[in-house]
Amino acid sequence: MKRTTPLRAAIAALLLTVGLGAAQAGVAGAAPLPEPPAAPSASAGLIDAMSRDLGLTAAEAEERLNAEKAAVAVEAAARRSAGAAYGGSWFDPASGRLVVAVTDRAEEAEVRALGADTRLVRHSAAALDRAKARLDALHAPAGVAGWHVDPRTNSVVVDVARSERQTPAVRSFVDRARAGGPITVAETAQAPRTYAAGTVGGDPYYTGNVRCSIGFSVYGGFVTAGHCGRAGAAVRGWDGSAMGTFQGSSFPGDDYAYVSIHSGWWTVPVVLGWGTIPDQLVRGSAEAPVGSSICRSGSTTNWRCGTVLAKNETVNYSQGAVYQMTKTSVCAEGGDSGGSFLSGDQAQGVTSGGWGNCSSGGETWFQPINEILGRYGLRLHTA
């Protein structure tokens, strides 16, 4: 893929590192090299971005990244251990540990032995998922921003726009929602919208008169947001040249798409830092728990960080509902649609939409990456 000098430098550095390692390993009888100093778990640029957006010191950001990486592994084991008693989980930044909700006190000791804290709750994750599915079958009015299962409140949270909360349509929807299970109503400043934008020169890709952002490289192309283009639509690159074609796209219902690329472009396991931080290597797609720090790269507001607020949320855009989204406290603006969400070096998803901006703040949703890969049978390009 045609790219700018910082990206080429990142790739060259990666190849040089591999080449030097191979060369040193092949020198017969060479004296052993001294042990290098321990490398930090993240680049200085990523630490700086987390410090700016999350109010952390450099040491706190480093410590949090390490704790979140450990929590990812604990979460999978805790889910298996708790079985039908599993009530959801989240990362607690204050303790640096994963918290696992369980409906059966008998399961607490085994889950704690894995390295997690526990909380006894009434409703299992499966029961909450069923309650949310009943809401998904309803038609929501414009004043309802969305809904999601929240393990911390052990309920399905329905977000409504503050100015619309007392309207008859919103009140009627909330009443029907409460009849289907444990519901908590929360206010949000605004209803969400998608983040596509009109054509602006020098940005990553265009389709028609819309500018969006590349999500992640996959072998054969890249993934992005579905509302940015329909299947068959031609894509132009940042320099205006023919880049590829939308091979698949889904919106609303989902918000994801796959773009195949033409010869002359190639894929790399890199997310752009836009000069704010060094370009980031992508090493996998392990899903971060609720409460984890997360950062986003987009062609308008570049590199921004925040935390994961909720998973499996139904977002009620004006074009229709989109399901199984992840909500974050990261800001975004027009043109950021389709861009990359990362937690550490793990791909999380592609930017869909939200409310607010990067001057006054807001919230942004992303479509999880693993769902996209599975839908189109794609393989993420990793370092």
Side-chain angles (χ1 to χ4, degrees):
M1 182 168 56
K2 299 178 181 177
R3 282 299 188 193
T4 55
T5 300
L7 178 56
R8 291 181 183 275
I11 300 168
L14 177 63
L15 295 175
L16 180 59
T17 300
V18 174
L20 285 175
Q24 291 169 343
V27 178
L33 295 175
E35 288 291 327
S41 61
S43 69
L46 176 57
I47 297 297
D48 288 345
M50 291 178 65
S51 299
R52 177 196 66 197
D53 293 339
L54 296 175
L56 303 174
T57 66
E60 289 170 339
E62 183 86 25
E63 183 178 1
R64 178 159 176 168
L65 285 171
N66 290 332
E68 289 172 352
K69 185 175 182 180
V72 170
V74 172
E75 184 179 42
R79 183 188 293 266
R80 291 192 299 269
S81 176
Y86 180 73
S89 58
W90 62 95
F91 178 78
D92 179 15
S95 66
R97 291 166 62 87
L98 187 75
V99 182
V100 179
V102 294
T103 59
D104 186 347
R105 192 178 299 276
E107 301 293 340
E108 288 187 294
E110 189 170 345
V111 171
R112 285 175 180 164
L114 296 171
D117 295 330
T118 58
R119 181 177 297 176
L120 193 65
V121 296
R122 180 178 179 183
H123 306 287
S124 69
L128 294 175
D129 286 342
R130 288 193 295 269
K132 179 184 176 291
R134 287 191 284 271
L135 266 68
D136 288 345
L138 302 178
H139 175 72
V144 177
W147 50 94
H148 64 274
V149 170
D150 181 13
R152 290 164 294 191
T153 62
N154 196 226
S155 68
V156 178
V157 175
V158 177
D159 289 306
V160 300
R162 187 172 299 120
S163 62
E164 302 288 328
R165 180 164 185 172
Q166 298 304 321
T167 63
V170 170
R171 293 175 66 179
S172 175
F173 180 85
V174 169
D175 288 343
R176 286 182 292 161
R178 283 182 170 140
I183 298 296
T184 300
V185 178
E187 290 185 350
T188 185
Q190 301 173 34
R193 67 187 189 281
T194 55
Y195 283 131
T199 299
V200 176
D203 288 295
Y205 83 89
Y206 310 89
T207 178
N209 64 345
V210 170
R211 169 171 60 87
C212 281
S213 301
I214 293 172
F216 293 96
S217 285
V218 296
Y219 287 93
F222 63 86
V223 294
T224 186
H227 71 262
C228 291
R230 295 304 182 198
V235 171
R236 304 189 310 280
W238 62 270
D239 59 355
S241 65
M243 183 182 192
T245 305
F246 277 85
Q247 295 298 325
S249 178
S250 180
F251 179 79
D254 309 296
D255 195 6
Y256 50 61
Y258 163 52
V259 175
S260 64
I261 55 174
H262 301 323
S263 60
W265 297 82
W266 62 92
T267 63
V268 289
V270 174
V271 171
L272 295 176
W274 298 100
T276 303
I277 66 168
D279 297 338
Q280 302 292 295
L281 290 174
V282 178
R283 300 190 184 277
S285 59
E287 185 178 332
V290 169
S292 299
S293 62
I294 195 164
C295 298
R296 179 191 56 72
S297 179
S299 61
T300 299
T301 56
N302 302 153
W303 191 265
R304 302 284 173 165
C305 297
T307 58
V308 178
L309 299 178
K311 293 184 181 182
N312 191 21
E313 176 148 3
T314 298
V315 182
N316 191 37
Y317 293 128
S318 61
Q319 301 96 326
V322 178
Y323 307 101
Q324 298 179 323
M325 301 281 273
T326 298
K327 179 164 69 174
T328 75
S329 64
V330 186
C331 67
E333 296 179 11
D336 286 328
S337 278
S340 323
F341 265 94
L342 280 168
S343 183
D345 57 11
Q346 299 295 304
Q348 298 297 307
V350 300
T351 303
S352 174
W355 62 267
N357 55 53
C358 289
S359 297
S360 59
E363 295 175 338
T364 302
W365 285 260
F366 67 79
Q367 180 85 64
I369 182 67
N370 290 327
E371 181 183 356
I372 309 172
L373 300 176
R375 169 63 180 82
Y376 295 117
L378 302 171
R379 187 157 63 98
L380 186 67
H381 194 160
T382 58

